[in-house]
Amino acid sequence: MWIYGRNPVLEALKEGRVRRVLVARGVEAWLLRELERLGAEYTLVPRIELDTLLRTTHHQGLAAEIEEPRYAPLEEAFSLAEARKELPLLVFLDGITDPRNYGAMIRSALALGAHGVVSEERRSAPLSPLALKASAGAALKLPVVKVKNLPRALEEVKKRGLWVYGLDVRGGKTPKELDFQRPLALVVGSEGEGMRRLVRESCDELFRIPIREEAESLNASVALGIALYMAALGRGVG
């Protein structure tokens, strides 16, 4: 797979996942120095060659060929929480099919202390180059999990002691009314349809983020970021 964008490529280099690197002629000198510092062997090519290869002009002059990203087993998220000596905090995504939103949500999950991002194989954007770019490299640092059945996976984590909180515009509570000092799974549905019925029924609590009426709704990625920040505050982080 070819990935592009400076943060994703540099993170992939740090993780040792890169097979080869292409750099557009004329990029800033600092970027070449950083590639050399990381021990990357790169080839300078005309910018139009990257445009054609990647089918986009938004590559920031940098592309790398990597192995197909590996999805993690759910157990890796629990292992990460244990290694950090933290209560598990997992993010479950139901029907997030836009790769930019998917990548941005993985980025928020990493930044705000979650231990993994879980979505369903059939109802989610894949870890495509666009999603990897939107994650700014976060997808290479955090367990990203695919499951066959999301409601079943939620029932599994509940058996392991996690409480499931679902973001829903009709939720009866606000984040201030929730207890975040417990093992948690936060569930976010798609912007258009929200959570599916079986996913909603798997939640222990449904909560909403209060907004002005004229705004109607929040972008799913923004809503997740707010919920994760409230969770961090509730756990005494930040």
Side-chain angles (χ1 to χ4, degrees), residues 197-216:
R197 179 181 61 83
L198 289 177
V199 174
R200 184 182 293 106
E201 291 174 356
S202 298
C203 296
D204 298 302
E205 299 277 9
L206 296 176
F207 72 102
R208 71 188 188 282
I209 296 171
I211 59 174
R212 295 181 64 90
E213 287 186 11
E214 56 266 35
E216 294 187 6

Side-chain angles (χ1 to χ4, degrees), residues 42-110:
Y42 59 86
T43 303
L44 291 171
V45 297
R47 183 171 288 268
I48 194 171
E49 186 172 323
L50 289 184
D51 298 347
T52 303
L53 172 68
L54 304 169
R55 299 182 181 179
T56 180
T57 59
H58 301 294
H59 46 67
Q60 300 176 309
L62 189 59
E65 186 181 22
I66 66 169
E67 295 181 5
E68 289 287 330
R70 179 187 70 90
Y71 291 109
L74 187 58
E75 190 58 41
E76 278 194 24
F78 286 96
S79 297
L80 178 58
E82 184 178 353
R84 292 181 183 171
K85 295 181 170 56
E86 296 170 346
L87 293 173
L89 175 59
L90 306 185
V91 172
F92 281 73
L93 305 179
D94 183 28
I96 303 299
T97 57
D98 182 279
R100 293 181 183 84
N101 264 347
Y102 184 44
M105 291 166 121
I106 295 171
R107 184 177 186 179
S108 294
L110 175 67

Side-chain angles (χ1 to χ4, degrees), residues 13 56 118 136 218:
L13 283 166
T56 180
V118 185
L218 289 169

Side-chain angles (χ1 to χ4, degrees), residues 161-227:
L162 270 66
W163 288 70
V164 180
Y165 292 173
L167 259 173
D168 191 296
V169 293
R170 296 164 292 178
K173 293 188 177 181
T174 67
K176 288 184 178 180
E177 300 172 278
L178 296 174
D179 180 4
F180 288 107
Q181 293 185 338
R182 51 178 39 161
L184 284 177
L186 292 179
V187 188
V188 182
S190 66
E191 290 175 38
E193 300 177 3
M195 290 179 286
R196 288 170 292 153
R197 179 181 61 83
L198 289 177
V199 174
R200 184 182 293 106
E201 291 174 356
S202 298
C203 296
D204 298 302
E205 299 277 9
L206 296 176
F207 72 102
R208 71 188 188 282
I209 296 171
I211 59 174
R212 295 181 64 90
E213 287 186 11
E214 56 266 35
E216 294 187 6
S217 65
L218 289 169
N219 170 277
S221 175
V222 172
L224 174 64
I226 294 171

